[in-house]
Amino acid sequence: YQQEHGDCLVPQNYGKNYTLGQWVHTQRKQFKLSQAGKENNINQTQIDKLNQLGFAWNAVESLSNKQWDKQYGELVKYQQEHGDCLVPQNYGKNYTLGQWVHTQRKQFKLSQEGKETSI
């Protein structure tokens, strides 16, 4: 999976290999239990092996970071093409980029106001 996709973010219900998706889900669950000091079925050797692969223990956070990095890369391309980062919110060539930039600006403004943000 990692060689094909470049990450270890195997979906729980991975269509090509359902068993792998379930196994990955179980590893994350067992790791979470171990971190909480609760009874679990994962040992440090197994954790170390998965870490060596770049295993994502928190899939939601890792996926969010991957998506952020992808949009950032799109913004870099936009800046190279247009000379600025003034992406319109409803940018026709890449609507998702326009929405992402809008969200980043909104979150930054909230942080400047001392409010809770997702950035």
Side-chain angles (χ1 to χ4, degrees):
Y1 184 93
Q2 183 194 41
Q3 291 174 349
E4 185 178 330
H5 298 276
D7 60 46
C8 294
L9 295 169
V10 183
Q12 183 176 351
N13 296 315
Y14 182 48
K16 284 187 178 180
N17 188 338
Y18 181 78
T19 304
L20 176 63
Q22 293 301 301
W23 181 83
V24 166
H25 175 72
T26 299
Q27 302 317 299
R28 290 185 180 124
K29 185 176 177 181
Q30 293 302 313
F31 179 75
K32 188 174 181 179
L33 290 170
S34 77
Q35 296 299 294
K38 297 181 179 177
E39 187 176 332
N40 63 81
N41 293 319
I42 193 167
N43 63 48
Q44 191 59 49
T45 300
Q46 293 167 328
I47 292 169
D48 292 344
K49 285 181 177 181
L50 290 169
N51 282 337
Q52 289 173 358
L53 288 177
F55 191 79
W57 295 107
N58 184 329
V60 172
E61 182 179 306
S62 296
L63 186 57
S64 178
N65 290 340
K66 184 177 179 179
Q67 290 170 337
W68 191 95
D69 290 343
K70 179 181 178 189
Q71 291 305 314
Y72 176 78
E74 292 296 317
L75 181 59
V76 169
K77 290 177 193 174
Y78 181 94
Q79 193 272 338
Q80 290 170 345
E81 184 179 330
H82 298 276
D84 60 44
C85 293
L86 302 173
V87 183
Q89 184 176 351
N90 295 316
Y91 182 49
K93 287 185 182 178
N94 188 338
Y95 180 78
T96 303
L97 177 62
Q99 294 300 303
W100 181 82
V101 169
H102 173 73
T103 299
Q104 300 308 303
R105 290 180 180 136
K106 185 176 174 182
Q107 294 299 312
F108 178 75
K109 183 178 179 183
L110 289 172
S111 73
Q112 294 299 101
E113 296 170 353
K115 297 179 180 174
E116 188 175 329
T117 73
S118 63
I119 61 170

